[in-house]
Amino acid sequence: MKKLTVNVNPKYDILIEKGLLSMAGELVKTVLTGKKLALISDTNVYPLYGESVKASLEAQGYAVYEYVFRAGEVSKKPQTVLDMVEFMADKGMTRGDGVVALGGGVCGDMAGFAASIFLRGIDFVQIPTTLLSQVDSSVGGKTGVDLPQGKNLCGAFHQPRLVIIDPNVLDTLTDHFFADGMGEVIKYGCIKSSSLFARLENENPKDFIEDLIFESVDTKRIVVENDEKEHGERALLNFGHTCGHAIEKLWNFETVSHGEAVGIGMVMIAKAGENIGITEQGTADRIKTLLEKYSMKTEDIHPVAEIISAMNADKKRTDKGIKFAMISKIGESFIKSVPMEDIPKMFGEIE
């Protein structure tokens, strides 16, 4: 078993091994000592793994109450989280009880947010079931929902007590959703690891899936430990996300998935960096070629001006501009604050 420890307060472990799902109950028991659990999942994942995880938890003596919501980003809104919180209240859960999130990024973000606000905060465990959630969203404590004005604008930092990653569950992912997760993996290569990027270019990721997950999560662990609440270095993890979130918003959080949008965003911001001479020439093409290897989109039909306009609601905006995560070359990243009036020029909209 591969194990990483995230040294925040309280610290928690990330466990990675094929077959771990069958041990969910005994692993959860090591960190959640209450009597009741809310098992939160969605309509795609619960039919696949929900009953077996519930049985494993019940075998450890828990009373388990499952809450299953409609799968997809369309459900990632405040009302769904309020429904979860009311569900937990109806079941008589107390501050000593906990939440288990079984699903992808949407599930983990909402279940974690519900856990953060129920009784002003109860413990939760992440069991991510998509590549995207295994390598990224299940770690780091960011929880939340989308608003009509933009993505992830309502939320809280609430670290899990444990993250259980079983790569075997990826076998049930469609090619589309596996590729969706590859968008975040490629991001890690872009910002921190030229060697990971090269492996992705030259090998089949499924041949080294546990190493791939471990290196991606380890990169995020280091960044989160250095900057838990995103006051500095953690913003590097947003490479491609400022443009990507704007694209998701323009599609009303439908049609274009998160990983696809981030992929397009990485190409856009790398081109922008090349335009102003701070990113090595040819970097955007290299990212584009790698995305195409995984049949991912590399551009959006919306005009660049519309995408820039949609960035105005981004969390990384200040009163003077936007803080962009950028790269000087593959594997080396930095934060650049760009005044609003300079952004169109950076993206090639103004000569």
Side-chain angles (χ1 to χ4, degrees):
M1 181 190 301
K2 296 179 183 292
K3 182 172 86 168
L4 291 164
T5 300
V6 184
N7 290 296
V8 292
N9 187 22
K11 67 181 180 180
Y12 60 94
D13 291 334
I14 305 161
L15 307 178
I16 307 168
E17 185 177 75
K18 292 181 178 180
L20 274 189
L21 202 66
S22 65
M23 302 169 58
E26 54 191 283
L27 294 172
V28 169
K29 192 71 173 179
T30 64
V31 293
L32 300 186
T33 58
K35 297 179 179 180
K36 297 178 180 180
L37 295 178
L39 175 60
I40 296 178
S41 191
D42 67 33
T43 51
N44 285 343
V45 174
Y46 195 85
L48 294 170
Y49 306 114
E51 289 300 323
S52 62
V53 170
K54 182 181 180 182
S56 179
L57 294 168
E58 289 175 336
Q60 297 298 317
Y62 292 113
V64 182
Y65 307 105
E66 70 271 17
Y67 182 95
V68 182
F69 64 91
R70 177 188 170 194
E73 191 83 22
V74 68
S75 291
K76 194 179 174 185
K77 52 191 178 184
Q79 187 57 55
T80 311
V81 169
L82 290 177
D83 290 344
M84 292 175 182
V85 171
E86 290 183 1
F87 173 81
M88 289 188 278
D90 285 342
K91 299 303 180 184
M93 293 179 63
T94 70
R95 192 167 280 170
D97 297 320
V99 170
V100 175
L102 175 67
V106 169
C107 178
D109 283 3
M110 290 201 296
F113 189 26
S116 78
I117 60 175
F118 181 64
L119 300 177
R120 296 189 175 90
I122 64 173
D123 289 338
F124 83 112
V125 168
Q126 290 268 23
I127 307 180
T129 60
T130 63
L131 180 60
L132 190 151
S133 59
Q134 290 187 351
V135 301
D136 188 71
S137 61
S138 65
V139 175
K142 279 188 176 182
T143 72
V145 293
D146 304 330
L147 298 180
Q149 293 84 354
K151 187 175 175 72
N152 294 331
L153 294 184
C154 179
F157 286 97
H158 190 55
Q159 299 286 353
R161 293 301 312 281
L162 179 69
V163 182
I164 301 169
I165 297 176
D166 183 348
N168 281 345
V169 302
L170 302 181
D171 293 342
T172 55
L173 288 183
T174 63
D175 290 343
H176 167 78
F177 281 107
F178 186 86
D180 197 51
M182 287 303 300
E184 292 286 359
V185 177
I186 292 168
K187 175 198 75 177
Y188 287 118
C190 286
I191 66 170
K192 288 289 185 179
S193 178
S194 59
S195 60
L196 174 61
F197 195 95
R199 287 196 76 178
L200 297 174
E201 287 178 311
N202 298 313
E203 299 179 44
N204 181 341
K206 293 183 179 180
D207 292 339
F208 63 102
I209 192 67
E210 288 192 43
D211 289 343
L212 178 153
I213 294 169
F214 182 90
E215 181 167 355
S216 297
V217 171
D218 196 32
T219 298
K220 185 163 189 178
R221 174 193 65 80
I222 293 167
V223 172
V224 168
E225 287 179 353
N226 291 340
D227 180 22
E228 182 180 354
K229 299 293 178 67
E230 200 174 298
H231 297 303
E233 182 184 357
R234 186 165 178 172
L236 295 174
L237 298 172
N238 292 317
F239 180 64
H241 284 60
T242 300
C243 300
H245 287 171
I247 291 166
E248 287 184 88
K249 178 185 175 184
L250 291 171
W251 286 103
N252 295 315
F253 306 110
E254 300 176 1
T255 309
V256 176
S257 63
H258 177 69
E260 288 178 321
V262 168
I264 297 167
M266 289 191 291
V267 174
M268 286 186 66
I269 196 64
K271 284 183 178 177
E274 292 180 27
N275 288 341
I276 59 175
I278 59 176
T279 300
E280 185 177 82
Q281 294 296 314
T283 299
D285 284 341
R286 194 174 168 195
I287 295 170
K288 181 179 178 181
T289 298
L290 184 53
L291 291 167
E292 288 172 342
K293 176 181 176 179
Y294 300 105
S295 302
M296 295 183 69
K297 297 178 180 179
T298 58
E299 58 185 8
D300 190 62
I301 65 171
H302 291 92
V304 173
E306 283 188 34
I307 297 174
I308 293 172
S309 179
M311 292 179 196
N312 288 336
D314 194 270
K315 301 188 302 300
K316 293 160 293 289
R317 182 178 175 180
T318 66
D319 57 348
K320 296 180 180 179
I322 295 177
K323 293 181 179 180
F324 287 95
M326 304 187 74
I327 58 176
S328 53
K329 62 181 181 179
I330 299 297
E332 297 183 9
S333 53
F334 59 96
I335 303 299
K336 180 174 177 60
S337 295
V338 182
M340 294 304 295
E341 62 269 21
D342 292 343
I343 291 174
K345 182 177 180 181
M346 184 174 79
F347 285 95
E349 284 295 283
I350 300 174
E351 292 297 328

